[in-house]
Amino acid sequence: MSGQFKRILVPLDGSRLAEAVLPTAVALGECLGAKLMLLHIIEEHAPQTVHGEPHLTSTQQADAYLSEIARRYEGMQFEQHVHGTEEQNVAQSIASHVTEHDVDMVALCTHGRGGPRRVVWGSIAQQVLRRVNAPVLLVRPQMPSVTSFKSILVPLDGMPSAEMALPAASQIARACAAQLYLVNVVPTVETVTGDLQAAARLTPLSTAAALNAKEEQSRDYLEQTAKRLRSEGVQANPFVRRGETVPSLAEAAHQTKADIVVIATHARVGLDAVWTGSVTATLVGKVTKPMLMIRI
């Protein structure tokens, strides 16, 4: 990711569920000095209701709805756009608007439930992430609204791909005068996975020694990364946790009182794995704060 956040796209389907993303998107937009572009897409063969509320089926209805949303947030810069041509593929239409309107971020609400209407929704968030290069902000409707950004958590694993989250996180940290927390999780003998599991069973002492050495390496790596960020004007704080990855990251988010988690994620290669058990996908359901996903 490069450049500045100038325009944040907020797709809305007319339901209160989708609107749950608005307080976070507005707060982030105000902090970054970005304009919010409210988007409604007229769906082809749309049902009469969406999440129990009347579905917007005309351009006039959608325009009036988006105008009412904009009036709620006096002082915020809004654009609004209704895609009046009926669309069957909502995710692809959102992705097209990202390209056509030079969008720097997409903000979506997701609940991840099953069923044909799990858009903004679950599956559409997944499809949008796959189709766009812009970061995707995900908010769950059950989350408390985030109105300021003072603490940002960035999970790192020592690989360059994970560091792709740092430019966006740093930009938000500078704009919002926030603390950036860099966290790496090193497993214990009891929580290792993959090839190390067999070694942990056969040679627990040597495995423990290797993991302790990994912890020290991680501390050095994070400290060097934090030092570089501090030289760029970012308040960066490194720390290492031990244990199982996702619970440890969720605990780190709680410990640092993170207002947002910024994480790099694979979205094109192995997409199904991203949403069926990977760190990023599992973490979405574990943390109670927004997550900004940076596609690798």
Side-chain angles (χ1 to χ4, degrees), residues 28-227:
L28 193 55
E30 289 177 336
C31 185
L32 293 168
K35 184 179 293 186
L36 263 61
M37 181 177 181
L38 305 178
L39 170 67
H40 180 79
I41 298 167
I42 304 295
E43 291 187 59
E44 185 178 35
H45 307 304
Q48 290 186 334
T49 61
V50 54
H51 306 302
E53 298 172 69
H55 206 111
L56 304 176
T57 56
S58 73
T59 300
Q60 291 76 15
Q61 284 180 322
D63 269 326
Y65 166 71
L66 295 182
S67 295
E68 190 275 327
I69 294 291
R71 283 193 292 270
R72 294 183 198 172
Y73 298 94
E74 186 177 354
M76 184 65 203
Q77 295 185 74
F78 285 102
E79 297 176 19
Q80 57 188 69
H81 179 72
V82 175
H83 188 76
T85 304
E86 292 188 357
E87 287 285 346
Q88 185 175 21
N89 191 329
V90 173
Q92 183 56 54
S93 183
I94 292 173
S96 296
H97 282 79
V98 170
T99 302
E100 292 169 11
H101 296 276
D102 296 322
V103 167
D104 304 299
M105 184 190 301
V106 182
L108 293 167
C109 181
T110 178
H111 58 67
R113 297 174 186 168
R117 292 295 303 167
R118 57 183 184 141
V119 287
V120 207
W121 306 283
S123 68
I124 280 204
Q126 170 187 347
Q127 294 170 41
V128 169
L129 185 64
R130 178 174 57 184
R131 287 173 166 83
V132 303
N133 290 318
V136 176
L137 176 71
L138 293 183
V139 174
R140 297 202 336 260
Q142 300 87 354
M143 291 178 179
S145 296
V146 175
T147 57
S148 65
F149 298 87
K150 299 302 179 186
S151 177
I152 302 169
L153 185 72
V154 184
L156 297 173
D157 60 6
M159 301 297 291
S161 57
E163 294 182 13
M164 292 180 68
L166 290 175
S170 297
Q171 184 179 332
I172 297 170
R174 280 191 290 264
C176 304
Q179 295 282 338
L180 201 62
Y181 291 93
L182 313 177
V183 59
N184 179 257
V185 178
V186 177
T188 61
V189 172
E190 295 77 19
T191 60
V192 292
T193 58
D195 295 339
L196 280 178
Q197 281 184 318
R201 288 194 297 268
L202 294 173
T203 56
L205 294 179
S206 61
T207 301
L211 292 172
N212 290 339
K214 174 65 175 175
E215 179 181 359
E216 290 304 312
Q217 293 170 2
S218 296
R219 291 187 192 281
D220 291 342
Y221 160 71
L222 291 180
E223 182 54 51
Q224 289 300 314
T225 304
K227 183 178 179 180

